[in-house]
Amino acid sequence: MKLSGKLDYLEMPATGGTLDRLKAFYSAAFAWSFTDYGPTYSAFAEGLDGGFQADAEEAPAKPLPVLYSRDLEASLDAVESAGGTIVKPIFSFPGGRRFHFVDPAGNEMAVWAE
């Protein structure tokens, strides 16, 4: 049952002819699957939680999707192998470790592990 006011969806850009590249990237790096709705939209269903960062030194300039990994080093290797660019190598933070990458469309994302 969907509840009013609850985060339910994350939509990210895939402009400039990057839709097929993004689908291939996320399929290779994280085994995502997609449902196409015409030639310019592809949906995924991979889970969603969230939080807000009020520290100006730590806050991202725009929303930062964060994925979970059971093996952070393997995920970093998969991101690089799939064509992602690591922009922050693995680092520790309260609650775990993570890294940030940029996908083929220029979206910055992070991957974390406990």
Side-chain angles (χ1 to χ4, degrees):
M1 173 184 204
K2 293 184 185 268
L3 300 175
S4 294
K6 301 297 179 186
L7 291 172
D8 187 53
Y9 204 79
L10 172 66
E11 194 165 80
M12 299 186 311
T15 58
T18 60
L19 183 59
D20 288 338
R21 288 177 49 211
L22 282 175
K23 289 168 49 180
F25 171 79
Y26 286 103
S27 291
F30 300 107
W32 285 16
S33 59
F34 297 88
T35 302
D36 292 332
Y37 294 97
T40 62
Y41 198 93
S42 191
F44 55 85
E46 303 298 338
L48 178 66
D49 281 330
F52 292 101
Q53 174 58 270
D55 182 339
E57 295 291 319
E58 297 289 324
K62 47 188 162 178
L64 178 70
V66 182
L67 308 174
Y68 177 76
S69 173
R70 290 191 176 126
D71 184 339
L72 198 59
E73 287 76 8
S75 292
L76 186 140
D77 291 343
V79 165
E80 289 182 314
S81 294
T85 302
I86 305 303
V87 294
K88 284 188 183 178
I90 294 174
F91 64 94
S92 295
F93 68 95
R97 300 179 311 132
R98 76 185 198 193
F99 68 89
H100 293 205
F101 69 93
V102 174
D103 70 19
N107 298 303
E108 184 173 343
M109 297 183 70
V111 180
W112 84 282
E114 296 173 282

